Amino acid sequence: MADLLGTEAAKAIQEKIRTELSEYEGRTPCLGIVRVGERPDDLAYEKSAVKRIESLGMAVRKFTFAEDVTDAEFKEEFRHINNDPGVDGILMFSPLPKNIDEKKVLSIMNPEKDIDGLSLTNQALVYSGGPGGFAPCTAEAVIRMIDFAGIDLTGKKVTVVGRGKVIGKPVSMLLIGRNATVTLCHSKTKDLREECRAADILVVAMGRARMIDASYVSEGAVVIDVGINVDEEGNLCGDTDYESVSKVASLITPVPRGVGSVTTTVLAQHLLRAAKGNLCG
Ligand code: NAP
């Protein structure tokens, strides 16, 4: 067994971004972060996104709102951000509080700035197989990890566990686009263990700390663990039980230093693409 390290995959992509940026003649690309409230998960992701974007020489502006902002106030401000020519890409933390009509906000989000693939236009582009569109960064990060490992997805049996809108569903579409044979599982799947054991590649995005143990994984399979959880002792862990799964898998992404490390790098790459006005690229 070997670890498939996101930190290594991310370095390779960052090199490409640096080269592209050095050849880019426009002004410094700028990410607009839109956050309502102070959820710890959002703050943690914001911190790593800011660090990554700035370390690559791009800019960040933060637009933060109190949890009790009204629907009307938020939409008005959001329209300004959306139309601001100084903001090339938007990272908006979802879900928004219940008092804000998130569907409406996503319907007005400029798809060319929607670099985390939340808008209906980007969903349609990604789900129809492109060309173009921004996929959610984490879903794309999974594909980048598989590419980095040098795995040809054509004809591979891939089981995805979790049908969430930012990982499970879009990553299934991206995998199908790469000619994998995909089984998408969720909480109502009968015999999850057998569906997982049938896989050459297992992608897990459930949010269930260490639930997938070695009994779910066939000998030699590749395991991509997208889950980010905090266990009872306060330690970060994935959806797979690394100790047992690493004994049967041929490759496994650890948590931390796995998929999460690639996500912010994909975000940076999307930002540069958005600055170039390249939704269809
Ligand atoms: P989500 O939208 O809540 O989706 C979770 C999915 O898991 C649902 O489809 C659910 O099934 C399924 N599920 C839950 N328990 C299950 C079980 N016992 N058996 C089978 N399926 C089960 O969550 P998400 O946003 O996709 O996030 C998933 C995980 O990824 C979380 O740990 C999150 O923190 C992590 N994450 C990581 C990154 C990163 O950069 N690495 C980024 C974002 C999120 P139903 O649909 O039937 O309810």
Side-chain angles (χ1 to χ4, degrees), residues 41 45 137-139 141 161-169 184-189 192 204-209 211-212 216 225-229 237-239 255 258-264:
D41 289 4
Y45 185 53
C137 296
T138 309
V161 189
R163 57 179 164 181
K165 68 175 181 178
V166 295
I167 309 166
K169 275 185 193 153
L184 180 51
C185 301
H186 45 77
S187 67
K188 306 289 185 291
T189 297
L192 180 66
V204 192
M206 287 188 294
R208 296 279 178 268
M211 190 185 121
I212 301 295
Y216 288 76
D225 186 354
V226 191
I228 299 180
N229 313 288
C237 69
D239 288 347
V255 179
V259 179
S261 318
V262 182
T263 300
T264 52

Side-chain angles (χ1 to χ4, degrees), residues 14 17-18 21-22 24 26-30 50-60 268 271-272:
Q14 285 159 22
I17 297 174
R18 285 200 179 89
L21 254 178
S22 68
Y24 176 57
R27 61 158 175 74
T28 304
C30 177
V50 170
K51 193 170 152 202
R52 174 63 55 227
I53 299 289
E54 291 184 344
S55 74
L56 287 164
M58 296 188 273
V60 178
L271 177 62
L272 178 54

